[in-house]
Amino acid sequence: MTSASAEPSAPGVVGVIGGGRMGAGIAQSFAAAGASVTVVESDGRAAAAAVERVATGLRRAAERGKLAEAVEEVLARVTTVESVGALPPEAALVVEAVPEDAGLKAGVLAAAERAVGEGTVLATNTSSLPVTELAAALDRPGRFLGMHFFNPVPASALVEIVVGPATDDATVERALGWTRALGKKDVVVKDSPGFASSRLGVALGLEAIRMVEEGVAAPEAIDDAMTLGYRHPMGPLRLTDLVGLDVRLAIAEHLHATLGDRFAPPELLRTKVARGELGRKSG
């Protein structure tokens, strides 16, 4: 599914539901590509924190010479609202980036569908939840798909495009064009448990945790084996710290339920999450 002739361009108006680390990164990427971005957050404090995340990301991009405009000019294209119903109806794309809870995601997607025009593409940033199940909450599932961005979004080169059985070809083509307009590489996968990236990434991460649990090697040694031996940019344990142990556990439990015992979460992972030891997010 490769696109046509013309140079891809970012959508003119984008909505992002959720202004956490992922949502802010998505908002930053689209704003830097020229889009007007509306971020939905629950209250004024959360909205201010989301804008500050975007501003911090833009300043870092500028310091690395990765921003074509002044930080203030790009940031001026980012606004916030406190309800999904206040999304701009003319948005070409709305991406939900709320926590990995199927009911929560389905609810905000259904509300977004009511708030925007019939031509708006809705996307979920889920890393593992079935796109098909989320589509069941929508009246226009043909306009819906997964756009799985990777953390940190502005620096990551990949977007996983997840296609459900009801997704229209035209919706996929639009998503591919927008992905390329961000300067990112797309990987198109059909909806299946864990898609391609989470399924493989979690399998490696869980095995690395089991190796620590069994005393096979120190965590640093396991990570070095993958970065130096297999040229991974980051070891599986350091990546788990970055993603969040709670996120990894939730994905592993979903894959365990759908794909079987090879994805059973190690006890060490469960223990750390129960203690609140979630990786970088908890210090």
Side-chain angles (χ1 to χ4, degrees):
M1 285 183 164
T2 10
S3 172
S5 43
E7 188 71 20
S9 59
V13 179
V14 175
V16 178
I17 306 172
R21 180 179 290 178
M22 291 300 294
I26 294 167
Q28 175 188 331
S29 296
F30 278 109
S36 295
V37 182
T38 298
V39 178
V40 181
E41 259 302 351
S42 55
D43 56 48
R45 174 182 279 184
V51 171
E52 183 51 38
R53 287 186 194 101
V54 175
T56 300
L58 289 170
R59 286 191 290 267
R60 287 175 180 160
E63 287 164 5
R64 295 195 307 269
K66 300 290 187 182
L67 197 63
E69 302 172 82
V71 169
E72 296 73 21
E73 289 178 23
V74 179
L75 196 59
R77 293 197 285 269
V78 179
T79 57
T80 61
V81 294
E82 291 185 12
S83 75
V84 175
L87 281 165
E90 71 276 19
L93 170 68
V94 173
V95 184
E96 71 75 15
V98 300
E100 290 287 282
D101 176 294
L104 175 61
K105 286 181 181 290
V108 299
L109 286 165
E113 186 179 52
R114 292 191 294 271
V116 298
E118 290 192 5
T120 303
V121 170
L122 298 179
T124 174
N125 183 52
T126 183
S127 54
S128 66
L129 296 174
V131 165
T132 307
E133 287 183 19
L134 297 178
L138 302 175
D139 292 329
R140 298 185 294 276
R143 300 280 186 177
F144 175 66
L145 79 175
M147 289 184 76
H148 177 205
F149 291 84
F150 290 76
N151 189 27
V153 177
S156 173
L158 180 65
V159 179
E160 192 171 33
I161 304 295
V162 185
V163 182
T167 307
D168 294 339
D169 289 347
T171 299
V172 178
E173 288 299 322
R174 292 174 76 188
L176 293 176
W178 293 331
T179 298
R180 293 163 192 173
L182 296 180
K184 298 186 184 299
K185 168 69 179 170
D186 53 79
V187 173
V188 180
V189 300
K190 72 175 186 179
D191 187 26
S192 60
F195 317 137
S197 59
S198 293
R199 187 164 168 174
L200 287 170
V202 169
L204 182 60
L206 295 180
E207 192 57 31
I209 294 169
R210 289 190 192 97
M211 290 169 70
V212 173
E213 205 172 45
E214 294 166 10
V216 172
E220 296 80 6
I222 294 168
D223 276 356
D224 285 347
M226 300 313 294
T227 56
L228 302 176
Y230 287 85
R231 298 189 179 180
H232 288 201
M234 185 182 295
L237 297 167
R238 185 179 170 201
L239 180 59
T240 298
D241 278 348
L242 178 64
V243 169
L245 276 70
D246 53 339
V247 174
R248 272 283 158 96
L249 177 59
I251 296 171
E253 286 176 333
H254 171 66
L255 294 178
H256 184 208
T258 53
L259 295 175
D261 285 346
R262 65 190 187 277
F263 287 98
E267 193 56 40
L268 178 59
L269 178 60
R270 292 189 186 281
T271 301
K272 283 187 167 291
V273 171
R275 288 177 183 159
E277 297 170 8
L278 308 181
R280 183 176 295 186
K281 69 172 78 173
S282 62

